[in-house]
Amino acid sequence: MLRWLIGGGREPQGLAEKSSVQTIGEEQIQNPYTELLVLKGHQDIVRFLVQIDDCRFASAGDDGIIFLWNAQSGEKLHELHGHTHKITAIAPFSSSDVAEEKTNLIITASADRTVIVWDCTSGRQVQKVSCFHSTVKCLTVLQRLNVWLSGGSDLCVWNQKLDLLCKTSHLTDAGISALVELPKNCVAAAVGKELIIFRLSASNKGSEGWNILEVKRLVDHQDNISSLVSVNDLTFVTGSHIGELIVWDALDWTKQASECNFWDSSVHQDVQPEIKLSQSPHETSVQHLTSDEECVFAAVGKGIYVYNLQMKRVIACQRTAHDSSVLHIEKLPNRQLISCSEDGSVRIWELREKQQLPAEPVPTGFFNMWGFGRTNKQANQAAKKVQENTPVYFLELVGDLIGHSSAVQMFLYFGELGLATCSADHLIILWKDGERESSLRSLTLFKKLAQNGDLQLKL
Amino acid sequence: MISAPDVVAFTREEELEDDLYREPPLPEEYSVPLFPFSGQGANPWAKVAGSKFTRDFILISEFSEQVGPQPLLTIPDDAKVSGTFDLNYFSLRIMSVDYQASFVGHPPGSAYPKLNFVEDSKVVLGDSKEGAFAYVHHLTLYDLEARGFVRPFCMAYISADEHKIMQQFQELSTEFSKASECLKTGNRKAFANELEKKLKDLDYTRTVLHNETEQQKKANDKGYYTTQAIEKANELASVEKSIIEHQDLLRQIRSYPYRKLKDSEFHPYEPECALDRADVGSHDQDPTASEPGETHLYTHVPSYTPKLIKAKSAKCFDKKLKTLEELCDVYFFTQTLDQLHHIERTFRGDVCYLLTEQISRALLKQQSVTNFLFEDVSFLDEKPPEKQYRGCQGLGQDVMDEKCLEESLAPKVVISLGSYKSSVECVPIKMEQEMEDSEEPKMSESVMSEQQENLDYLDADIKGSISSGESIEVLGTEKSGSGLTKSESQASLPAMASPQAGRSKVGSRRTVSEDSIEVLSTCPSEALIPEDFKASYPSAINEEPYADDDERGLRFTPRANLGVHHGQDDISKQESLVQVDAACCIGKESPSFLEPLAEQLGQRPCEEDGVVRIPPQPYRGPAEQGLRGGFPSHQGLSGGLLPYELDSRHLTGSREVSKSSLDECSDSTSHISSAASTCSDRTPSPAQPACAQPGDRHRKRAGQNALRFIRQYPFAHPAIYSLLSGRTLVVLGEDEAMVKRLVTALSIFVPSSGGYTKPVKHWVTSALHLVDFQKWKLIGLQRAVSPAGVNVLHALSRYSRYLSILDADSKTLRCPLYKGSVVARLADHRTQIKRGSTYYMHVQSILTQLCSKAFLFTFCHHLHLPISEREPEESVVSRRMNFLKLQLGLANEDIKIVQYLAELLKLHYIQEPGQGGSPLLRFDYVPSFLYKI
């Protein structure tokens, strides 16, 4: 529709790419987000959004500043200055001292090799640690044990008062890229291609002392582990740069299942070299993983894959969900899935069960998602799936949010409060349900009227 | 009057602007005969001016003790203005009606001369032979060398239009009071200086005389006094007496309470502190209450060498009298001139323009909840001359409202109380009459006539006491009633009514007599409000019952001044709420909705030829309307809102507009205001075209461009719909001038979100971003061929869901579909409106309708919140939609317009004054279509 406008403005490559991505058009009945608020403040790429409580969230990025926002009004609550370099990790930490009310803290790690604990209510810096030898790349709070872990070139365990309880020896220069809590006081750390399981054990000396021991090294991945997520108490999942997805048993750390090359439906990779060429390693990298009880959702390259843990296979996928890499995905309670990408868009998907018989014509929506360029293969695939005679799911695009002019790094789903997205264009956008906001405003309006006494009839 | 712009449009003027769209000439039989007086300030009510001057001017005259009355200067200072008009003669006339009871000199029983801080007097007088009518403002300035230390001056606003003077009396009075206050301030300063110099002289003289006497004493050892010595001694004694007298004078002048000067010595004239100024009057009455802090004003004395004063002062005819400039200190004199120039600018042009402007201003003020949307904010902010406490505007009515309610049961007490009281009580009479409508005219009339008799009777008293001679008939005079003693203020009561009586006299007199001067009325500075012309023909003015007048004239009370502005806001809010409730049951009550309006319009008879004979009438305060219909403020607008949908074709499509009939309620509203806008176009002010309000020019141009747009582009409707529904419209084009013109044209449709400027960006060359759509709702964008231009287009396509794009080069529009009817009325491409300003006002009137709908929608509680706690959200939603569709009569996309406006209203109301609040962007996921010519 815009062809008349753009003319031949866009580069042909972009157009070619575009054609393979499902588009939804301008009419999006199911998209509730009809109002937006732009939150300005950051000076550089905003990479992290973290929820503090029901209505507050923090944002952090390459400018080293942390902002606290009200998710309802978009009001800037605090501006936390303290880091001199970009923020590399952020974690919320609600400390619940006995007989004291809960205070919300956030821990931030920065490339300036410091970690700062902030009080979210006052906006003040509680404590600062700067004894690190390398940048802390990940932070994990073990709420149960009231300690938190920092992962850099080594793994340190801290208590709430920022006393260093114990640390591992130097692991690697590259540092720990991801940490996840496992049952039985264990944590899994992704270090390069390896997955190292550590166990925290109480030291003999005192109640506060902890020791950390390396329990096991898992070397099943062929490439660097890029994402690590815990599914439930029994399972966790890892994904690597070349698209391996491994499901682990959280108790005995054995491999339950693995999916390799699942980004490519074709078993015969060599038959179609031209396709292979376009699939650079980057495009098969598992960028982000999320899960619910049944499924693991993987952002692989430009696509989204739904892996069912029981069936141990991919039940639905959207091979080119975005124009470029998907950076973050999240599952919503209502069978919906939100993804954001480097192309600057956020898309809302719905996982639907496909009921059609194979003989029936394929609906366009389904047809589209395979892209136009690979009709033969997709027919192949469809046929194969039907043969398996299991329910077939597909991801239906129900809406997209276009607002950022650059890569959307992350988003935060606030339920009915809306959705916060952060981007490399330095902005945070709060997407809101326009209907709900409108009625909220009416409520406020009448409250204010009553407050001003304007509701009384005066003559 | 409404029709005037359109009729004129057919005949001349904007042909140049319009040539592109000029229609074929009309057949002879359809063309409207030219209005005979279209030459200057043409309007159907323009009086045939028999005057010898071309336009209104201000004359300052002095009653010189040497040569008698003489004109000093005119504003504008142009010989052409006064033409053959005999200024000397007129000066004589106006100076001969100074009724100031100013007594300066030795009052009986007082040892020293006393300065009287007299109030200015304000009279209206007419000279039917000369065709001149004047508002005359007398004031006295102090001059040490003058007889009795006073020099009488007067400032007169001279116009050929009697009605202008009468109707604008209050405004003129306020403005001239400022000028007078400024003059007097300067004069007091100068007088004090003069006194000080004189004192020094006297002191010096005394020393000299004393020395001489001493010398003589020494030289004279004869033991008796020579005549020479006695003379010297007498001289010395008289000098000493003189010193005491002058010291006393100085003390008096210094004790003049002048609170405004406390702050800074040299800024006494501040238009903003008008409210303070209103207080001055009351302080004037009480000169003993001096404030010590104020005397510093006069303490600054330049170094001065005393002179010896001769015993015998020069004959008064020998000396040269001080000029006005010398009397008043140069600074204050120029300030005064500025103020007078301002007055001249404000009041030039025909009275109907002034009135309509005042009406629209007053109405706008009441719409504080909605008026930010489409009104020119500068127009609102700009302080109209003392609107805040002008009784005739009905803005001081908050006090009145309460009183009315309290006392509505005892309407007949008219005379026995003070003027203020009586004013209060007069209102209910009117109320009752209005409420009962004309069904019981007799009863109310009897009340009227009774009152009228009383007034006449009292008036006669006054008349008798002052009338003087044949050529001058004084029909009523009064001094300022404020702050007088009890007895005086009671005495002033009858004078309140004097204008009516005066006018009734005038009516009869004019037909029979050849008198050259009639004093039509004189009145207290605040009390009198001129009457509106309600009758269908001028000579019937006096037959009208005057209850209205009483009400209006008396409604104003000085006490209402303070805080009225605040009260006003509150009131309009309250009123809003009144409407809200009513709106809930609109179906039932719509008849009463209409009633007041019809009533109002009923007073505008039309003659057979379809030309409205009645010029616009002064704004009728909301107090009465409020009590009548229960819809005080938005009455005129909402009244026409629901059942009487504006028949746009009537307005836009034909010249029958002029047949303003009763049911064209909305039309009449727009017509009235359209006159206001055309004011500047036709104000006969060739000398100073720059004086026209800049807003007017802009409006006119925008209206003209908008007209052109809707004629030129068949897809104007969806484009305007985009703007009204808050979807940013981007005008894309290579030619900056063309894009800017389009943006200007479309900007009149852009609702403002409450900021000081409209969210319009005329020209952007860089790529747009989401933030821009939050901030701007109408953007002119450069289409460039450069790589940057590609980015610009890319951004456009990326954000296309938030945008409507008007391509000015290829004449295409990409935007959502519009199927409503509001915009069709707003922008009918077959409209016969030719003038930009007329079209602008047409747009404004429809937008105001929309605003009032949005207002009802926003503030109707049950449309947004459940009635009971258990009520499901769905039923609220369906109620809401029903209201929009059935009650407000909106269809399809029009609903979205009103919803968007309602959101703006909510945001505006919720917003805390301090914080700006981050702008939010609302949008819809709706498909767009491409329109081509």
Side-chain angles (χ1 to χ4, degrees):
Chain A
M1 191 164 297
L2 270 175
R3 202 54 43 80
W4 62 275
L5 235 188
I6 309 162
R10 285 190 79 183
E11 62 273 42
Q13 183 202 345
L15 281 174
E17 267 180 15
K18 191 89 182 170
S19 64
S20 65
V21 176
Q22 183 183 356
T23 52
I24 183 167
E26 284 164 325
E27 201 162 5
Q28 302 175 10
I29 305 150
Q30 284 180 284
N31 191 343
Y33 301 110
T34 55
E35 192 173 304
L36 62 83
L37 267 173
V38 177
L39 311 184
K40 283 188 267 190
H42 282 287
Q43 314 284 320
D44 208 334
I45 299 176
V46 191
R47 292 188 190 272
F48 302 100
L49 293 175
V50 60
Q51 184 166 356
I52 296 165
D53 54 21
D54 288 342
C55 65
R56 288 185 294 171
F57 69 94
S59 65
D62 287 2
D63 55 3
I65 309 168
I66 299 113
F67 286 94
L68 301 186
W69 307 91
N70 181 325
Q72 170 55 38
S73 65
E75 190 190 348
K76 191 190 289 175
L77 302 170
H78 290 293
E79 202 172 324
L80 312 180
H81 292 270
H83 289 296
T84 53
H85 286 73
K86 65 177 187 179
I87 310 286
T88 52
I90 182 167
F93 189 12
S94 62
S95 85
S96 44
D97 289 341
V98 190
E100 265 183 51
E101 53 190 89
K102 196 169 155 184
T103 52
N104 288 307
L105 304 173
I106 47 171
I107 309 170
T108 55
S110 159
D112 60 8
R113 297 185 187 177
T114 59
V115 169
I116 299 180
V117 180
W118 311 87
D119 184 340
C120 296
T121 317
S122 66
R124 253 175 281 159
Q125 182 173 325
V126 177
Q127 223 163 346
K128 182 172 183 174
V129 186
S130 45
C131 61
F132 295 94
H133 299 296
S134 67
T135 301
V136 174
K137 287 190 175 163
C138 50
L139 292 166
T140 301
V141 174
L142 304 185
Q143 208 74 59
R144 198 161 38 88
L145 304 175
N146 217 9
V147 296
W148 57 274
L149 281 67
S150 67
S153 59
D154 48 12
L155 185 66
C156 305
V157 182
W158 310 79
N159 71 3
Q160 201 190 316
K161 293 174 192 129
L162 258 75
D163 302 321
L164 180 59
L165 301 177
C166 55
K167 62 188 278 187
T168 62
S169 56
H170 183 84
L171 295 166
T172 161
D173 284 337
I176 297 169
S177 60
L179 272 173
V180 72
E181 184 185 0
L182 298 179
K184 296 197 284 189
N185 290 359
C186 290
V187 287
V191 183
K193 293 177 188 173
E194 293 180 341
L195 194 62
I196 307 176
I197 311 290
F198 293 98
R199 172 171 283 155
L200 278 167
S201 56
S203 73
N204 304 328
K205 294 167 202 163
S207 59
E208 270 291 294
W210 290 95
N211 280 327
I212 190 155
L213 293 169
E214 183 180 322
V215 182
K216 192 165 185 181
R217 269 179 199 247
L218 306 167
V219 287
D220 295 271
H221 275 294
Q222 305 296 311
D223 201 346
N224 287 341
I225 297 170
S226 54
S227 52
L228 172 62
V229 66
S230 163
V231 176
N232 51 34
D233 277 353
L234 299 173
T235 328
F236 71 98
V237 189
T238 54
S240 79
H241 268 299
I242 53 161
E244 301 150 306
L245 184 81
I246 299 179
V247 183
W248 304 89
D249 187 312
L251 295 174
D252 58 9
W253 316 301
T254 53
K255 198 154 90 175
Q256 282 189 336
S258 79
E259 189 80 11
C260 201
N261 295 338
F262 66 95
W263 64 89
D264 193 352
S265 58
S266 162
V267 196
H268 323 284
Q269 289 181 20
D270 303 54
V271 178
Q272 288 176 319
E274 76 282 356
I275 299 289
K276 196 64 202 138
L277 275 178
S278 71
Q279 302 249 331
S280 66
H282 181 62
E283 293 196 341
T284 61
S285 150
V286 180
Q287 309 277 354
H288 189 242
L289 287 170
T290 186
S291 70
D292 58 6
E293 287 297 312
E294 293 173 17
C295 300
V296 173
F297 305 89
V300 182
K302 296 174 187 173
I304 300 169
Y305 294 81
V306 183
Y307 181 84
N308 190 298
L309 287 168
Q310 252 138 42
M311 288 186 263
K312 297 197 174 171
R313 64 181 188 84
V314 174
I315 55 164
C317 71
Q318 188 61 262
R319 208 157 285 277
T320 43
H322 284 272
D323 278 336
S324 49
S325 295
V326 180
L327 295 177
H328 195 88
I329 54 171
E330 207 164 303
K331 173 75 171 44
L332 309 189
N334 53 357
R335 290 188 75 75
Q336 285 188 340
L337 190 68
I338 300 182
S339 63
C340 69
S341 152
E342 273 179 356
D343 65 7
S345 68
V346 176
R347 294 185 159 207
I348 307 166
W349 308 88
E350 193 165 295
L351 189 62
R352 290 188 183 164
E353 200 167 320
K354 184 177 164 261
Q355 312 236 316
Q356 281 83 7
L357 292 168
E360 284 183 6
V362 186
T364 26
F366 182 68
F367 192 86
N368 269 353
M369 76 184 191
W370 301 100
F372 297 112
R374 306 153 89 182
T375 33
N376 55 341
K377 244 201 315 176
Q378 144 228 178
N380 235 345
Q381 176 79 1
K384 213 168 85 183
K385 292 218 167 181
V386 171
Q387 280 165 9
E388 285 171 20
N389 207 16
T390 48
V392 178
Y393 294 90
F394 66 98
L395 286 168
E396 168 93 357
L397 181 63
V398 295
D400 63 345
L401 308 177
I402 295 176
H404 289 292
S405 56
S406 184
V408 181
Q409 298 287 339
M410 196 179 174
F411 60 86
L412 202 58
Y413 177 69
F414 262 97
E416 58 177 10
L417 281 190
L419 183 75
T421 57
C422 68
S423 157
D425 61 5
H426 312 176
L427 298 179
I428 297 164
I429 297 183
L430 266 180
W431 303 83
K432 291 175 163 290
D433 182 345
E435 288 290 312
R436 183 177 174 275
E437 293 302 309
S438 173
S439 58
L440 280 179
R441 274 194 289 273
S442 285
L443 196 64
T444 322
L445 175 86
F446 288 108
K447 268 185 195 154
K448 186 167 176 185
L449 278 171
Q451 195 183 331
N452 292 0
D454 288 345
L455 277 177
Q456 268 68 47
L457 189 70
K458 283 186 221 160
L459 282 174
Chain B
M1 106 129 280
I2 311 335
S3 57
D6 288 341
V7 174
V8 177
F10 265 108
T11 59
R12 45 181 219 96
E13 282 191 73
E14 297 184 331
E15 280 151 355
L16 271 181
E17 287 178 63
D18 236 353
D19 49 1
L20 269 176
Y21 314 99
R22 195 154 52 162
E23 333 242 316
L26 282 171
E28 189 59 36
E29 62 268 28
Y30 294 126
S31 66
V32 178
L34 283 177
F35 185 66
F37 310 111
S38 56
Q40 48 144 355
N43 72 68
W45 309 283
K47 300 291 171 298
V48 191
S51 61
K52 294 170 178 167
F53 47 92
T54 53
R55 52 188 278 209
D56 297 358
F57 64 97
I58 294 170
L59 170 69
I60 299 184
S61 299
E62 183 200 357
F63 197 108
S64 162
E65 60 193 56
Q66 292 172 347
V67 298
Q70 60 170 351
L72 295 181
L73 56 98
T74 61
I75 291 166
D77 193 10
D78 185 356
K80 271 183 284 180
V81 170
S82 52
T84 57
F85 186 70
D86 189 345
L87 289 177
N88 280 310
Y89 174 74
F90 203 75
S91 295
L92 171 67
R93 289 303 190 187
I94 58 180
M95 287 311 291
S96 57
V97 279
D98 182 1
Y99 298 105
Q100 303 184 85
S102 58
F103 181 84
V104 184
H106 294 269
S110 164
Y112 307 120
K114 261 245 179 309
L115 286 180
N116 228 346
F117 297 105
V118 289
E119 278 301 280
D120 301 348
S121 79
K122 302 151 185 188
V123 298
V124 171
L125 55 81
D127 186 334
S128 44
K129 210 189 270 174
E130 297 275 335
F133 297 88
Y135 163 88
V136 186
H137 192 109
H138 293 280
L139 71 156
T140 332
L141 298 180
Y142 301 113
D143 183 355
L144 203 51
E145 289 152 29
R147 191 164 54 197
F149 303 131
V150 289
R151 304 260 306 263
F153 285 90
C154 83
M155 300 180 286
Y157 186 87
I158 300 164
S159 167
D161 185 2
E162 171 190 356
H163 300 295
K164 185 180 194 172
I165 303 291
M166 294 307 283
Q167 299 195 353
Q168 301 298 311
F169 182 87
Q170 193 59 47
E171 291 79 1
L172 283 167
S173 159
T174 315
E175 294 297 310
F176 272 103
S177 295
K178 281 187 202 166
S180 157
E181 207 53 56
C182 185
L183 272 182
K184 288 195 285 186
T185 308
N187 174 242
R188 278 191 294 272
K189 185 168 155 22
F191 187 59
N193 278 343
E194 201 187 354
L195 272 173
E196 272 169 2
K197 286 180 190 171
K198 184 73 180 277
L199 272 175
K200 284 192 179 144
D201 290 347
L202 285 169
D203 202 42
Y204 176 72
T205 313
R206 186 179 58 178
T207 321
V208 171
L209 282 176
H210 191 74
N211 288 344
E212 283 176 8
T213 320
E214 290 300 309
Q215 274 174 352
Q216 275 184 349
K217 267 186 197 163
K218 278 177 195 157
N220 174 24
D221 37 7
K222 289 172 197 160
Y224 60 92
Y225 294 109
T226 61
T227 41
Q228 203 184 5
I230 291 169
E231 244 171 52
K232 275 275 181 274
N234 282 342
E235 214 171 303
L236 188 62
S238 77
V239 165
E240 263 162 8
K241 179 166 179 273
S242 185
I243 286 178
I244 294 171
E245 278 177 13
H246 280 85
Q247 275 169 343
D248 191 58
L249 282 176
L250 187 61
R251 185 189 56 75
Q252 285 180 47
I253 197 82
R254 275 177 173 169
S255 71
Y256 184 85
Y258 203 3
R259 311 201 316 178
K260 285 189 298 296
L261 292 186
K262 262 196 284 189
D263 305 333
S264 64
E265 195 163 328
F266 283 106
H267 295 283
Y269 177 67
E270 293 161 292
E272 280 77 19
C273 62
L275 280 174
D276 287 12
R277 204 174 291 269
D279 290 344
V280 170
S282 56
H283 286 274
D284 286 350
Q285 312 303 322
D286 190 17
T288 52
S290 73
E291 288 168 56
E294 287 159 1
T295 49
H296 79 275
L297 171 68
Y298 303 112
T299 53
H300 164 74
V301 181
S303 63
Y304 174 68
T305 325
K307 296 187 294 279
L308 188 69
I309 292 179
K310 297 232 171 62
K312 292 227 167 66
S313 61
K315 273 268 164 53
C316 86
F317 287 99
D318 299 343
K319 69 186 178 215
K320 183 179 164 291
L321 284 175
K322 288 196 188 70
T323 62
L324 189 55
E325 200 169 343
E326 288 167 334
L327 270 181
C328 300
D329 186 289
V330 183
Y331 172 79
F332 290 95
F333 182 70
T334 48
Q335 288 277 309
T336 310
L337 284 187
D338 287 348
Q339 166 69 2
L340 291 176
H341 277 290
H342 167 75
I343 294 174
E344 197 273 328
R345 274 199 303 274
T346 313
F347 291 95
R348 71 170 58 156
D350 193 274
V351 66
C352 64
Y353 302 136
L354 296 174
L355 282 177
T356 46
E357 186 133 330
Q358 284 163 9
I359 291 169
S360 50
R361 271 180 202 278
L363 287 172
L364 273 179
K365 283 263 181 241
Q366 295 177 24
Q367 298 178 301
S368 61
V369 180
T370 55
N371 61 13
F372 70 93
L373 283 175
F374 291 104
E375 297 302 336
D376 201 345
V377 189
S378 58
F379 179 69
L380 288 172
D381 278 357
E382 153 194 325
K383 290 213 173 65
E386 274 57 69
K387 269 292 186 288
Q388 297 94 324
Y389 56 93
R390 225 166 31 174
C392 63
Q393 298 303 317
L395 295 181
Q397 35 109 4
D398 53 348
V399 179
M400 295 309 299
D401 283 346
E402 289 158 29
K403 298 273 181 187
C404 290
L405 284 178
E406 286 167 24
E407 298 175 70
S408 58
L409 293 176
K412 293 195 182 180
V413 189
V414 180
I415 312 157
S416 59
L417 300 169
S419 61
Y420 171 69
K421 253 311 196 194
S422 76
S423 74
V424 169
E425 270 120 18
C426 284
V427 182
I429 298 175
K430 173 66 175 174
M431 290 306 133
E432 220 166 55
Q433 187 197 14
E434 296 282 356
M435 279 189 286
E436 288 163 12
D437 210 2
S438 51
E439 288 167 30
E440 292 173 311
K442 281 180 191 168
M443 185 188 152
S444 44
E445 220 156 52
S446 69
V447 176
M448 282 307 128
S449 58
E450 189 180 323
Q451 187 193 359
Q452 186 63 37
E453 275 167 26
N454 290 330
L455 296 172
D456 282 345
Y457 167 72
L458 289 161
D459 189 53
D461 281 356
I462 275 226
K463 200 173 75 182
S465 66
I466 319 175
S467 63
S468 59
E470 305 89 26
S471 71
I472 295 181
E473 177 103 10
V474 179
L475 297 166
T477 77
E478 215 230 330
K479 286 185 302 185
S480 169
S482 61
L484 292 177
T485 62
K486 182 69 184 165
S487 64
E488 273 170 318
S489 81
Q490 273 183 354
S492 75
L493 161 66
M496 293 290 201
S498 63
Q500 313 155 354
R503 222 165 294 130
S504 63
K505 271 281 192 274
V506 173
S508 55
R509 176 166 288 277
R510 186 125 14 92
T511 51
V512 294
S513 86
E514 287 294 302
D515 284 355
S516 58
I517 283 209
E518 299 142 329
V519 174
L520 300 174
S521 78
T522 74
C523 20
S525 51
E526 284 108 354
L528 171 79
I529 314 302
E531 164 181 352
D532 47 2
F533 317 148
K534 259 195 265 107
S536 47
Y537 49 100
S539 63
I541 283 177
N542 15 341
E543 263 92 61
E544 282 285 307
Y546 286 102
D548 245 12
D549 271 4
D550 286 344
E551 181 196 342
R552 191 159 311 117
L554 299 170
R555 185 183 302 147
F556 179 82
T557 60
R559 222 176 300 167
N561 294 356
L562 299 170
V564 164
H565 204 56
H566 276 280
Q568 184 58 31
D569 284 352
D570 288 345
I571 276 181
S572 52
K573 277 173 198 159
Q574 297 154 17
E575 286 164 354
S576 326
L577 288 160
V578 176
Q579 276 201 310
V580 168
D581 289 345
C584 296
C585 35
I586 263 164
K588 278 176 276 171
E589 293 203 354
S590 48
S592 77
F593 231 84
L594 260 195
E595 189 184 341
L597 194 77
E599 204 174 300
Q600 197 178 18
L601 285 164
Q603 292 164 352
R604 304 182 174 189
C606 308
E607 297 201 354
E608 274 113 58
D609 62 358
V611 175
V612 181
R613 287 292 178 203
I614 311 305
Q617 309 184 4
Y619 176 63
R620 314 181 59 183
E624 54 186 278
Q625 294 161 351
L627 285 163
R628 267 187 298 170
F631 298 102
S633 72
H634 299 247
Q635 176 256 349
L637 305 161
S638 56
L641 170 62
L642 302 168
Y644 283 86
E645 276 297 335
L646 173 65
D647 179 5
S648 72
R649 246 159 301 150
H650 210 83
L651 178 60
T652 60
S654 78
R655 281 178 288 142
E656 287 182 329
V657 168
S658 49
K659 289 184 188 150
S660 153
S661 55
L662 294 192
D663 50 345
E664 287 184 289
C665 21
S666 332
D667 282 13
S668 68
T669 315
S670 83
H671 289 168
I672 285 169
S673 35
S674 76
S677 85
T678 50
C679 170
S680 73
D681 298 357
R682 304 205 235 138
T683 307
S685 56
Q688 288 157 296
C691 297
Q693 287 181 1
D696 281 337
R697 284 218 79 74
H698 169 255
R699 269 176 252 165
K700 184 182 166 188
R701 220 183 61 206
Q704 196 61 43
N705 285 336
L707 259 183
R708 190 168 302 172
F709 174 75
I710 62 170
R711 288 185 183 140
Q712 194 173 350
Y713 293 86
F715 48 71
H717 291 181
I720 292 169
Y721 162 67
S722 285
L723 293 171
L724 287 177
S725 60
R727 188 179 172 111
T728 301
L729 179 70
V730 174
V731 180
L732 184 67
E734 279 173 19
D735 178 18
E736 182 172 351
M738 182 168 71
V739 170
K740 278 186 173 170
R741 200 163 53 234
L742 273 173
V743 170
T744 313
L746 288 164
S747 65
I748 64 174
F749 302 104
V750 180
S752 173
S753 52
Y756 276 96
T757 47
K758 282 214 165 195
V760 175
K761 186 85 178 160
H762 282 81
W763 186 243
V764 174
T765 51
S766 58
L768 296 174
H769 193 253
L770 192 68
V771 186
D772 299 317
F773 313 139
Q774 274 190 320
K775 219 188 302 172
W776 312 113
K777 292 297 169 196
L778 175 60
I779 303 173
L781 182 66
Q782 183 186 40
R783 177 202 300 263
V785 200
S786 62
V790 175
N791 276 339
V792 167
L793 294 180
H794 181 70
L796 276 190
S797 74
R798 179 175 178 83
Y799 296 117
S800 61
R801 69 174 54 170
Y802 307 114
L803 297 176
S804 295
I805 299 161
L806 176 65
D807 189 326
D809 299 329
S810 60
K811 305 263 191 278
T812 57
L813 173 74
R814 185 190 164 280
C815 77
L817 202 60
Y818 175 74
K819 296 192 296 286
S821 59
V822 167
V823 177
R825 291 206 300 271
L826 198 59
D828 182 1
H829 68 276
R830 291 163 307 179
T831 180
Q832 297 294 310
I833 294 178
K834 289 289 160 69
R835 298 175 65 95
S837 47
T838 311
Y839 181 69
Y840 180 84
M841 296 319 295
H842 168 64
V843 168
Q844 286 287 306
S845 76
I846 292 186
L847 293 180
T848 309
Q849 273 196 326
L850 269 178
C851 286
S852 53
K853 289 183 182 185
F855 175 86
L856 285 175
F857 176 67
T858 314
F859 287 90
C860 212
H861 182 274
H862 299 331
L863 297 180
H864 304 279
L865 302 174
I867 294 172
S868 69
E869 279 181 19
R870 278 177 298 168
E871 192 181 24
E873 179 64 23
E874 292 76 46
S875 75
V876 180
V877 171
S878 73
R879 189 163 56 227
R880 186 155 61 217
M881 290 316 285
N882 270 339
F883 180 83
L884 286 168
K885 282 180 184 154
L886 304 177
Q887 309 286 7
L888 294 185
L890 298 167
N892 306 324
E893 278 75 20
D894 293 341
I895 290 177
K896 287 215 176 122
I897 297 177
V898 169
Q899 280 175 333
Y900 173 68
L901 296 181
E903 286 308 313
L904 291 180
L905 287 181
K906 283 186 212 170
L907 284 169
H908 186 69
Y909 189 85
I910 293 171
Q911 201 179 64
E912 296 300 324
Q915 77 192 62
S918 46
L920 47 86
L921 179 66
R922 289 174 63 82
F923 49 92
D924 292 309
Y925 297 104
V926 286
S928 289
F929 295 89
L930 184 64
Y931 295 86
K932 289 176 185 158
I933 281 191

